[in-house]
Amino acid sequence: MFKKRLLATSIVVALSPIAQAEEVSVFDEVVVSATRTEQSKQDVSSSIESVSSDDLDDSLASDLKDAVQYTPGVEATTEGRFGVSGFNIRGMEGDRVKVIVDGVNQTTPFNPGGGNVQAFYPNAIELDTLTAIEVNKGPSSVLYGSDALGGSVVMRTKDPEDILVTDGDEHRFGIKSSYTSKDNQFKNTLTWAMRQGDLETIVIGTYAEGNETETFGDGADVEGSDRGLENPADKDLSNILAKAYYQLNTAHRVGVVFERYNSTYDENRLENNYVLDMGMAGSYTYTDSRSDDTNTRTRYGINHEWLANNAAFDKLFWQLNYQVSETENENSSGLVIDDPFGMFGGDYAGDRTRVRQAEDKTIQLDAQFDKFVEFDTSFHEFTYGFNYSSTDFSLENNDYYHADPSKNKPGSTTIPDAQVTQWGIFAQDNMFLLDERLVLNAGIRYDSFEADPSTDDGFTTENKKNSNDAFTGKLGAVYHLNSKLSTFAQISQGFKAPTVEQLYYEYDKGADFTPNSDLEAEKSTSYELGFRGQNNSAQFEIVGFFNDYTDFIATKDLDEKTPGKDHYTLENLDSAEIKGVEFSTTILLDEAFDAPTGMYTKLSVAYAEGKDKQNDTNLDSVAPLTSVFGLGYDNAQYQFGGLANLTMVAAKDDWSDEDNVNAAGYGKLDITAYYRPIRDLTLRAGLFNALDKKYWAYTDFRGLESDDNLDFYSQPGRNWGVSLDYQF
């Protein structure tokens, strides 16, 4: 008989005074995001990737892009000065991938374009506060609702128990300092965790300052569109996470949380100094272009865990969070307008500043009930609950003409302020049958969502509400052929409600764009089939997937509204499919082949291809063939060790537009090492792109139709990082 599964075990531990410990394999891994409960990865019916806090430390990751760089089928996308813009999971990205921190939904991505003057992304997250990042690679709407069309990235911040090392009263402190050469960033994190009787607390504070992330370094150091080097910039970051838990009695535990993230990025945008010549109509001349960006996220939360052990549930966990996410993008330049015919408001010479502010205020209530039921030949882990969130999304844009204040005006926001309300109920049954050889997981969810727009000086058009709902389901199975081998399969559904931007975006300058407030939710169905195994010397997983997407929101041409101008809108037009295969393995070479004690190897390969079925074109968001090969060593006492990772990426040439510049393939070698002279002190160092190869990320080439200046998009050359971590 297989060992009792994790939810059942955790309930028994919580409700019983004595628990029997079990010996587990070195490869045993616990994940939470797959079923919203702690579960052995071997019992999960889909492909889940996880990155632990130790993984983040050992790889010297400095941002979310670094955090997932070795994860097959997953990468973080970036947007210039705005940093990480989201995640790409098997070719789905942007607002089709949900980002969650401690169960709290992060802001929906927003970028209205217009010269890169504003962006709002779910990236206000400090890595040193995280205990785990888990990536669901398929539709996850049954568990997490809207926006999990292509998957979800679920992050958990550290609790006191992640820092404390005993079961009694204790104070624990941590000091971590690091430096990365690619952006000249110095970073310090202080941690304090405490247990005193029934009270546990943790406080983590981080401060960092640095500069721009460098390109390869051999581009032209000039102003304008021919610039090949990165723009000079200064950045700083501060973050604080504070939690407190109090054990009222054996059944009730209450907690509070406070989190505040703040970052600034001030850039000298040398590539934006240029002349826009419009012939006889005049010209715009830009000089001394700069941007000052501020990104802030503040969260207040309370939570309660109740071990009830009644007929309806064994455990209830609920939490109420209030979160404010806000950005301010201040864009300034010297501006000379030559307007001989008065077509653009008249001549002007002086400084101009465009201030773009965006804000999300969200209140979110979540409740989850867990019930363990055992029968003669099977047992069930029932999980059910509800989620409710209300978000006030607002924009405030202003243009300031310093040499002529009479020209000052509210800038057009292109979309209205709006209140977005969503709620959902879900239920799932994790069933263990046939003496626990067969694990079935069935889930269903209902969601309702509504967007209610308003008007102000920046957006005067009145629009109607958009209301919609969705049912989603999933069915998965794991069959353990024996204690070492198992096969798994899953069918799951996802959906994404239309965003405020998609519903109400309006534009009438160079072209006409008419909003469509009747858009429906985008939908997806995913099929996964896999095989995994493990023993004392190795583990592996191979999975094939086919994802079908319908009702994609896409641009549609309309008849001319204004003579001489193109006219567009958005409709539920496109359908798409993405299919592929992924393989990953870890082999302990000392156990398998009598190699020197402590040697191991890792390998992952991810291949996918995608089609826009409406237009019979390739999907530009699908990554080329990617593999990572790692060779590592840890001495028997884990006093020192290291890992060399060789990342190999094929060329990207299957664009939807044949004029798109092809992205060359590349290989990149990263080497990291650690030394632990005493138990609580760890020194780490890394050499990245060790062979100093010039390369480009394919994501930076999308929509690029000229190869005149590719140096500006190049990734850093050889760079290094170090860190010192002392826990006491």
Side-chain angles (χ1 to χ4, degrees), residues 363-646:
I363 186 166
Q364 181 174 329
L365 175 64
D366 304 274
Q368 178 173 316
F369 302 83
D370 298 316
K371 180 65 179 177
F372 171 68
V373 179
E374 187 167 11
F375 299 101
D376 290 340
T377 59
S378 66
F379 65 86
H380 298 249
E381 298 168 351
F382 294 103
T383 302
Y384 59 98
F386 65 87
N387 315 106
Y388 169 86
S389 70
S390 177
T391 298
D392 287 321
F393 176 74
S394 62
L395 298 172
E396 183 177 348
N397 295 353
N398 290 286
D399 297 340
Y400 300 98
Y401 292 80
H402 301 284
D404 184 1
S406 67
K407 292 180 176 288
N408 293 350
K409 60 182 180 180
S412 172
T413 62
T414 67
I415 67 172
D417 296 349
Q419 182 172 5
V420 179
T421 304
Q422 302 182 59
W423 63 270
I425 55 174
F426 64 90
Q428 73 170 358
D429 182 8
N430 216 26
M431 299 165 271
F432 296 86
L433 311 170
L434 303 181
D435 202 20
E436 300 181 41
R437 287 186 176 274
L438 177 63
V439 183
L440 296 179
N441 181 272
I444 190 170
R445 182 184 179 102
Y446 171 78
D447 282 277
S448 174
F449 46 91
E450 178 183 86
D452 186 6
S454 60
T455 61
D456 57 22
D457 290 340
F459 193 94
T460 58
T461 304
E462 293 188 4
N463 285 292
K464 66 179 182 180
K465 295 180 182 180
N466 175 278
S467 300
N468 220 313
D469 58 6
F471 280 98
T472 50
K474 72 169 183 175
L475 179 63
V478 178
Y479 185 72
H480 295 281
L481 302 171
N482 53 45
S483 61
K484 297 179 175 62
L485 296 173
S486 60
T487 184
F488 62 93
Q490 180 168 284
I491 303 174
S492 58
Q493 295 178 311
F495 79 98
K496 184 192 74 66
T499 66
V500 174
E501 181 179 5
Q502 290 172 327
L503 288 168
Y504 306 117
Y505 178 81
E506 182 179 302
Y507 185 75
D508 63 358
K509 297 297 187 287
D512 287 320
F513 204 103
T514 299
N516 178 6
S517 58
D518 293 321
L519 293 171
E520 300 285 337
E522 299 177 332
K523 304 173 183 66
S524 65
T525 303
S526 173
Y527 307 87
E528 283 190 82
L529 178 63
F531 190 59
R532 60 169 69 106
Q534 70 173 49
N535 57 24
N536 291 332
S537 61
Q539 68 171 1
F540 75 91
E541 179 178 289
I542 184 169
V543 58
F545 61 89
F546 178 85
N547 298 335
D548 187 44
Y549 303 93
T550 57
D551 293 330
F552 262 20
I553 297 172
T555 303
K556 180 182 179 181
D557 294 335
L558 297 177
D559 294 335
E560 283 188 359
K561 180 180 180 181
T562 304
K565 284 186 179 181
D566 292 329
H567 187 197
Y568 307 100
T569 191
L570 291 176
E571 288 194 4
N572 294 95
L573 292 174
D574 282 359
S575 58
E577 64 181 34
I578 300 176
K579 56 187 176 183
V581 62
E582 295 166 355
F583 173 77
S584 62
T585 184
T586 300
I587 302 174
L588 305 181
L589 298 176
D590 51 358
E591 294 281 349
F593 303 107
D594 291 328
T597 301
M599 289 195 67
Y600 63 93
T601 184
K602 293 173 173 284
L603 173 65
S604 67
V605 181
Y607 171 78
E609 57 183 44
K611 282 284 186 182
D612 178 343
K613 295 192 292 185
Q614 189 82 14
N615 302 303
D616 193 28
T617 57
N618 296 312
L619 289 180
D620 294 342
S621 58
V622 175
L625 174 67
T626 302
S627 62
V628 180
F629 174 74
L631 181 63
Y633 171 78
D634 295 304
N635 88 316
Q637 289 75 38
Y638 289 92
Q639 293 173 315
F640 59 88
L643 176 64
N645 277 316
L646 177 63

Side-chain angles (χ1 to χ4, degrees), residues 255-269:
V256 294
V257 59
F258 171 77
E259 185 178 18
R260 181 172 175 82
Y261 173 101
N262 183 81
S263 68
T264 63
Y265 192 83
D266 303 332
E267 182 180 40
N268 184 0
R269 305 194 70 200

Side-chain angles (χ1 to χ4, degrees), residues 636-669:
Q637 289 75 38
Y638 289 92
Q639 293 173 315
F640 59 88
L643 176 64
N645 277 316
L646 177 63
T647 302
M648 295 166 285
V649 181
K652 174 73 173 180
D653 55 12
D654 55 348
W655 302 101
S656 59
D657 184 348
E658 61 182 16
D659 293 328
N660 203 109
V661 176
N662 292 333
Y666 64 89
K668 178 174 71 81
L669 178 64

